[in-house]
Amino acid sequence: MGLLIHTLACAFGLGSWVAVNGLWVELPLIVNTLPEGWELPSYLTVIIQLAFPGLLIVTLTHKFCPGHLKDHVVIYFILSIGVLSCILLIFFWDKTTIVAGASHSTALFVISFFLSMVDCTSSVTFLPFMMQLPAKYVSTYFIGEGLSGFLPAVVALAQGVGFAKCVNSSQTAGNHTGSSIKTEYLPPNFSTEVFFSFLAAMMCISLAAFTALKRLPWAFELSIGNLVPDTVASVSFSLDNAGAQTDGGGVKCQGEGAAQSDPRSAGTKRFVYQQTFIYLLVAWVNAATNGLLPAVQTYSCMPYGILAYHLSAALASVANPLACTIAMFLQNRSLVFLGVLTALGTGFGSYNMAMAAMSPCPLLVGSVMGEVIIVLSWLLFIGMLSYVKVMVGVILRDQGYSALVWFGAATQIGSLVGSFTMFPLVNVYRLFKSGDFCSTECPL
């Protein structure tokens, strides 16, 4: 029965971000088709965060009217919206309209908004629902959440999305005929419509898994006994006993007296500092991974070629479930360790941002080494910060229901600040420059 619950928890996690993650790994193909071009990711990051009011409503309702909003009803609703939106994406993703005198991907933007409503709201509904299960299934849920990026990446790799070659093109101007080199994009192995059909199927699987978890009462056996009371004592316990042994249901105390001591008399200030650090960590990690860097990924990778962009988008998605799997077996709750890992991941993110700022002529452009470094940098950036997100989620799970709700809120606040910071820099001030892989000449 445990294996079945693990499977259902993982499948349920697929619906958390599969639509938006799938849209992201498909960008190397659609970015060359839609009128926004290289600016398309910055538009999508902002649209995704416009779903913040939905998350805010759920969070405030939990805070001020506890018990009035049933998580399972909200989850049924948002998963159904996700299925419908993915189906509409199949037929309307490339439809454009004229807005303010320019062609824009209006249909894609509207559908992306509803998809982001699904995914953003999942941050404050899916995890609290999972808290009803024993703690060992939370890590499995995170694996499913990671697979929501990994599986679309695998399908995109099989699709051969966005590969290109440089070809000579003759041009005639008056009586003069000249030649130039332009980029010709090769057709994928299967269409974008087929890819979006896959996303719709994943949403259906997530909805079915949630229905099974909700309707099978044995899935919740011993769940009440595995929950830790939502008190300051349990918070301090989970932080201060980072090296304690675990046994399925969560951290066990190394001494009975430690769990019974009052942390208010032992170090209230330390507890406050720890909590502040944790939520700032959540906000920053999500600002970087969901807002700041995704908005400029095209500028960071496209100068090295469409293959580098494709691999960085796909393999970075692989890093997420890999980090979740590592976190399942090798847990380190030390806040010092998580802080150092965040700093390292931020370093790789800073390199990616620097290459985007130097576009269309970043370091080592035109060389295999440059392509390898930028792909690895994106891989390590996502992988390290994904591990941090998982471990913070595990820590906050032991603190109770409201901690997980505010974990989701901090996630979305960070993402919102990151995306709205980058949008004017990319689309208004034009600080990042695009170029053509085949025709752009860069100094040696």
Side-chain angles (χ1 to χ4, degrees):
M1 289 300 181
L3 179 60
L4 178 58
I5 301 176
H6 276 297
T7 302
L8 292 175
C10 184
F12 174 49
L14 287 176
S16 56
W17 286 94
V18 67
V20 171
N21 283 331
L23 188 60
W24 213 260
V25 297
E26 189 73 354
L27 280 182
L29 178 61
I30 65 178
V31 77
N32 299 312
T33 303
L34 299 178
E36 289 77 15
W38 287 24
E39 296 177 357
L40 183 61
S42 63
Y43 280 97
L44 291 178
T45 55
V46 170
I47 290 171
I48 290 170
Q49 303 312 320
L50 288 177
F52 180 76
L55 174 144
L56 187 61
I57 291 172
V58 173
T59 303
L60 293 179
T61 302
H62 279 303
K63 176 66 176 178
F64 298 107
C65 302
H68 283 68
L69 190 63
K70 302 299 183 182
D71 280 337
H72 69 277
V73 175
V74 177
I75 294 173
Y76 274 126
F77 177 75
I78 63 177
L79 285 177
S80 299
I81 292 294
V83 172
L84 179 60
S85 297
C86 286
I87 293 174
L88 292 175
L89 200 60
I90 299 170
F91 301 100
F92 298 104
W93 71 270
D94 58 347
K95 305 302 180 184
T96 60
T97 57
I98 302 299
V99 179
S103 180
H104 286 286
S105 308
T106 311
L108 177 67
F109 292 161
V110 172
I111 296 172
S112 297
F113 170 76
F114 284 102
L115 289 176
S116 63
M117 285 283 289
V118 174
D119 294 354
C120 292
T121 309
S122 72
S123 299
V124 292
T125 54
F126 285 18
L127 269 178
F129 171 80
M130 287 301 300
M131 201 184 78
Q132 300 177 66
L133 297 175
K136 59 185 177 181
Y137 298 116
V138 176
S139 294
T140 307
Y141 164 81
F142 274 117
I143 292 177
E145 189 175 88
L147 287 175
S148 69
F150 172 74
L151 293 180
V154 171
V155 175
L157 287 172
Q159 187 182 20
V161 55
F163 290 108
K165 64 179 179 179
C166 300
V167 297
N168 288 321
S169 175
S170 60
Q171 296 178 337
T172 302
N175 296 324
H176 300 281
T177 300
S179 63
S180 63
I181 300 177
K182 71 173 185 178
T183 305
E184 181 179 292
Y185 296 99
L186 304 179
N189 296 326
F190 51 87
S191 68
T192 300
E193 289 78 9
V194 173
F195 181 83
F196 288 145
S197 298
F198 164 77
L199 297 185
M202 290 297 98
M203 290 299 300
C204 290
I205 290 174
S206 178
L207 178 58
F210 172 71
T211 302
L213 284 173
K214 183 62 182 174
R215 292 180 179 273
L216 298 177
W218 45 261
F220 298 93
E221 62 177 338
L222 302 179
S223 61
I224 300 301
N226 281 276
L227 295 181
V228 179
D230 189 11
T231 62
V232 175
S234 65
V235 173
S236 179
F237 172 67
S238 68
L239 293 174
D240 295 340
N241 293 277
Q245 298 296 318
T246 61
D247 183 17
V251 178
K252 283 191 174 181
C253 185
Q254 293 177 340
E256 291 300 326
Q260 298 173 357
S261 63
D262 184 4
R264 295 182 184 276
S265 61
T268 303
K269 287 186 177 180
R270 182 186 178 191
F271 161 71
V272 172
Y273 292 151
Q274 288 174 333
Q275 286 297 95
T276 302
F277 176 75
I278 285 176
Y279 285 111
L280 287 177
L281 202 65
V282 172
W284 167 248
V285 165
N286 285 280
T289 57
N290 298 337
L292 296 174
L293 272 301
V296 296
Q297 189 171 16
T298 44
Y299 299 94
S300 175
C301 301
M302 283 287 276
Y304 295 99
I306 193 68
L307 178 60
Y309 181 24
H310 177 52
L311 290 177
S312 68
L315 296 182
S317 296
V318 175
N320 190 303
L322 179 61
C324 293
T325 303
I326 292 174
M328 186 176 182
F329 298 101
L330 298 175
Q331 296 189 0
N332 190 329
R333 302 189 180 201
S334 167
L335 296 185
V336 175
F337 173 78
L338 295 179
V340 171
L341 199 61
T342 300
L344 290 175
T346 301
F348 287 108
S350 299
Y351 176 83
N352 299 336
M353 182 66 74
M355 296 306 100
M358 297 172 67
S359 175
C361 296
L363 298 176
L364 301 176
V365 65
S367 68
V368 175
M369 182 60 67
E371 296 180 31
V372 172
I373 291 176
I374 195 65
V375 172
L376 286 178
S377 182
W378 274 96
L379 186 69
L380 294 171
F381 164 67
I382 296 296
M384 289 182 175
L385 297 191
S386 294
Y387 180 89
V388 172
K389 283 193 283 188
V390 173
M391 288 313 307
V392 170
V394 171
I395 291 173
L396 294 179
R397 191 271 174 195
D398 288 341
Q399 298 179 19
Y401 182 90
S402 63
L404 287 179
V405 172
W406 289 108
F407 168 76
T411 294
Q412 295 307 317
I413 291 173
S415 302
L416 182 73
V417 172
S419 60
F420 274 85
T421 298
M422 293 306 300
F423 185 82
L425 300 181
V426 174
N427 299 281
V428 178
Y429 298 106
R430 310 281 180 179
L431 297 184
F432 301 90
K433 307 297 182 182
S434 61
D436 187 271
F437 171 71
C438 294
S439 60
T440 300
E441 295 184 4
C442 296
L444 297 177

